[in-house]
């Protein structure tokens, strides 16, 4: 069974640009989560999607947004990039959380974003 | 802010020794999970313990949970060089505005010397 996949692996952008990161969940998983792991700040919850809707978001500005497609894959968009957006962006998936089952999340390998 | 706090921040041991990492959290939880991360790559799920459980085993891993003290510990027995990684605890809060937010601690860096 394929795990969570993310693309691209690495990305270099300059301040002010926009970036789109992609994630495909494990087959059968409908909940998709995004996390930011910046140096010195640990893993921060960004967004949670299920059934095509944003279900919750962390303490991030609106320039961080995303969507979930009918096949449950997801995109994370970051507009007006800032230097402090440089981080490893991790996507995870789980069986649907909206059913009330707080199960384990399975993580992808991440996308390393560098903002110059 | 991080709900979980791991202790110690770094741990260095010899192969064959046991490694114990601790995690404390602040709010009531649905469950607590432990993850491993190798060299800034993706996280690997190790074990999940629910709030009504006190101890759980998986291979060389033993996790305990004390909800009265809001703390958990991860014990790795007979450690191997391949166990070298960062270990994170993560908690699922019990509903409210934190619904769905798996909250991670800062992690413990474990180094196992051959």
């Amino acid at each position: 069974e394929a795990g969570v996949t993310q693309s691209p692996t690495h990305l270099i952008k300059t301040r002010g640009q926009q970036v789109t990161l992609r994630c495909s969940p494990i087959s059968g998983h409908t909940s998709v989560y995004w996390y930011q792991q910046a140096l010195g700040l640990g893993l921060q919850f960004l967004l949670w999607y299920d059934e095509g809707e944003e279900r919750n978001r962390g303490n991030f500005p609106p320039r961080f947004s995303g969507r979930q497609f009918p096949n449950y894959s997801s995109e994370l968009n970051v507009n007006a990039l800032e230097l402090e957006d440089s981080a490893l962006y991790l996507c995870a998936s789980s069986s649907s959380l909206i059913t009330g089952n707080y199960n384990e999340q399975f993580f992808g390998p991440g996308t390393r974003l560098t903002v110059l | 802010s991080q709900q979980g706090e791991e202790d110690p921040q770094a741990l260095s041991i010899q192969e064959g020794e046991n490694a114990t990492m601790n995690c404390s959290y602040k709010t009531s939880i649905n469950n607590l999970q432990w993850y491993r991360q190798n060299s800034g790559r993706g996280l690997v799920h190790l074990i999940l313990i629910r709030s009504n459980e006190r101890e759980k085993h998986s291979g060389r891993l033993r996790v305990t949970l004390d909800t009265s003290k809001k703390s958990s510990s991860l014990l790795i027995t007979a450690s191997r060089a391949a166990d070298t990684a960062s270990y994170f605890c993560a908690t699922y809060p019990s509903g409210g505005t934190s619904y769905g937010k798996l909250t991670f601690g800062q992690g413990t860096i474990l180094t196992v010397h051959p």
Side-chain angles (χ1 to χ4, degrees):
Chain A
E1 179 183 292
V4 177
T5 59
Q6 292 186 244
S7 64
T9 307
H10 294 87
L11 210 49
I12 300 175
K13 292 284 187 178
T14 56
R15 282 176 57 190
Q17 285 189 311
Q18 178 265 343
V19 69
T20 297
L21 311 181
R22 295 177 174 82
C23 171
S24 290
I26 289 172
S27 177
H29 285 180
T30 61
S31 276
V32 173
Y33 314 83
W34 288 94
Y35 295 87
Q36 182 196 65
Q37 188 177 29
L39 207 59
L41 292 178
L43 276 142
Q44 306 275 345
F45 169 83
L46 258 169
L47 291 159
W48 164 36
Y49 290 96
D50 202 320
E51 296 296 343
E53 293 188 19
E54 182 182 302
R55 300 290 174 169
N56 209 343
R57 66 181 291 130
N59 295 325
F60 283 85
R63 59 189 185 84
F64 286 84
S65 65
R67 54 180 173 166
Q68 185 179 37
F69 299 97
N71 66 353
Y72 303 110
S73 67
S74 176
E75 283 182 352
L76 173 68
N77 299 295
V78 187
N79 295 321
L81 284 167
E82 301 179 0
L83 296 179
E84 53 264 34
D85 296 334
S86 293
L88 180 67
Y89 288 86
L90 293 162
C91 173
S93 74
S94 76
S95 53
S96 180
L97 186 56
I98 58 177
T99 60
N101 295 317
Y102 288 72
N103 293 324
E104 52 269 67
Q105 296 184 12
F106 295 89
F107 283 76
T111 293
R112 174 77 61 186
L113 172 65
T114 302
V115 182
L116 302 175
Chain B
S1 62
Q2 296 292 326
Q3 150 118 296
E5 301 279 342
E6 279 99 338
D7 170 54
Q9 290 187 332
L11 184 59
S12 182
I13 59 174
Q14 295 295 127
E15 250 187 345
E17 294 181 339
N18 294 340
T20 300
M21 288 159 265
N22 302 297
C23 168
S24 60
Y25 57 92
K26 297 174 184 173
T27 64
S28 56
I29 60 171
N30 179 285
N31 66 55
L32 185 145
Q33 304 180 32
W34 285 90
Y35 289 83
R36 185 187 76 221
Q37 184 178 38
N38 291 81
S39 301
R41 299 182 60 81
L43 276 71
V44 174
H45 185 269
L46 296 176
I47 201 163
L48 180 155
I49 186 166
R50 301 194 185 277
S51 60
N52 60 354
E53 297 176 310
R54 292 296 168 257
E55 188 172 311
K56 209 161 182 180
H57 296 256
S58 176
R60 294 184 296 112
L61 307 180
R62 172 179 170 254
V63 168
T64 61
L65 179 65
D66 186 336
T67 52
S68 66
K69 295 181 180 178
K70 292 186 168 57
S71 67
S72 173
S73 68
L74 170 67
L75 169 67
I76 304 174
T77 60
S79 62
R80 306 165 182 168
D83 295 329
T84 295
S86 293
Y87 290 82
F88 296 89
C89 69
T91 52
Y92 256 135
S94 301
T97 58
S98 296
Y99 185 39
K101 291 183 179 180
L102 189 61
T103 306
F104 285 82
Q106 295 292 339
T108 292
I109 300 171
L110 173 65
T111 304
V112 182
H113 300 281

